[in-house]
């Protein structure tokens, strides 16, 4: 019956000491991963697309394809 | 009490003062479920009642001994007193079981059965799919999407090579 007295205090502090650094590291790692694997490539893709974008040329190509109702292909 | 006093005023009748509820039927029978119950729960460590309600003679004498100095109790007597008050210790009530295997098995079984039901439904209940699902129609849809430059930066039109009229390698 001689069981040692169990830990009565500081249980939350002990848990936090262990889990809080892990939580912060995982959160920061997740956000960095998202930034460099999703956000940056997307921004670069948009920048590259619009670097040499000619809106009029694209419009004419779409017009010739016949998708517009008010701007029919030049042949009609 | 009030009823019997009123009746005594009306006439001298021999009414037992212990039967004092309207209708003269007596006090309602106490149902088991209305009394405080015992339960083993981690989050409610001290139940409303002791586990053992009717003590045997040895348990009664043990309870008398408990009134004195606890240092005089042997370890077995302390455990006996604990078992009078509680059914399972925290260690006993917290121990896991193999029930999760049966639960998971049941879940998978019914998921499989649901799959069979859905297959039967697809064959015997649903009608034909609309003409817009025909491969030729789908091809025309895709061509129109590419003509419209749908999602030209990261999506479908970005994967199409407009110069060579083919998918980008």
């Amino acid at each position: 019956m001689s069981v040692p007295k169990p830990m009565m205090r500081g249980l939350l502090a002990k848990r936090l000491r262990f889990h809080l650094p892990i939580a912060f590291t995982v959160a920061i790692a997740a956000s960095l991963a998202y930034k460099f694997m999703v956000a940056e490539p997307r921004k670069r893709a948009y920048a590259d697309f619009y670097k040499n974008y000619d809106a009029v040329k694209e419009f004419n190509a779409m017009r010739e394809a016949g998708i517009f109702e008010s701007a029919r292909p030049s042949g009609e | 009490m009030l009823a019997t006093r009123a009746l005594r005023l009306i006439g001298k009748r021999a009414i037992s003062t212990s039967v004092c509820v309207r209708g003269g039927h007596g006090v309602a029978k106490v149902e088991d479920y209305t009394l405080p119950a015992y339960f083993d729960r981690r989050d409610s460590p001290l139940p409303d009642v002791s586990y053992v309600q009717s003590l045997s003679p040895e348990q009664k004498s043990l309870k008398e001994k408990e009134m004195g100095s606890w240092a005089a109790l042997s370890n077995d007597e302390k455990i006996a007193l604990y078992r009078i008050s509680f059914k399972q210790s925290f260690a006993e009530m917290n121990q896991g079981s193999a029930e999760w295997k049966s639960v998971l098995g049941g879940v998978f079984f019914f998921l499989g059965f649901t799959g069979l039901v859905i297959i039967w439904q697809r064959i015997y209940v649903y009608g034909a799919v609309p003409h817009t699902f025909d491969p030729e129609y789908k091809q025309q849809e895709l061509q129109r999407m590419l003509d419209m430059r749908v999602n030209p930066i990261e999506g479908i039109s970005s994967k199409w090579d407009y110069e060579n009229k083919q998918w980008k390698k």
Side-chain angles (χ1 to χ4, degrees), chain A residues 1 42 45-46 49-50 58 61-62 65 67, chain B residues 75 78-79 144 147-149 152-154 163:
Chain A
M1 199 72 150
R42 189 170 286 164
Y46 272 76
F49 180 79
Y50 282 111
E58 293 291 316
M62 285 194 249
I67 60 162
Chain B
N75 281 347
K78 286 178 191 165
I79 292 177
R144 190 174 153 81
D147 291 340
M148 285 198 286
R149 311 295 194 269
I153 304 171
E154 285 195 317
E163 260 90 75

Side-chain angles (χ1 to χ4, degrees), chain A residues 13-65:
Chain A
K14 180 169 164 215
R15 183 187 164 81
L16 285 181
R17 237 182 86 86
F18 179 69
H19 281 100
L20 227 47
I22 295 176
F24 272 87
T25 315
V26 169
I28 291 172
S31 46
L32 285 175
Y34 184 86
K35 182 179 171 67
F36 288 112
M37 289 171 62
V38 179
E40 286 305 316
R42 189 170 286 164
K43 287 197 270 191
R44 225 177 314 126
Y46 272 76
D48 291 341
F49 180 79
Y50 282 111
K51 201 172 10 173
N52 299 319
Y53 184 66
D54 185 359
V56 179
K57 173 162 159 265
E58 293 291 316
F59 168 73
N60 283 324
M62 285 194 249
R63 182 187 176 188
E64 297 309 318

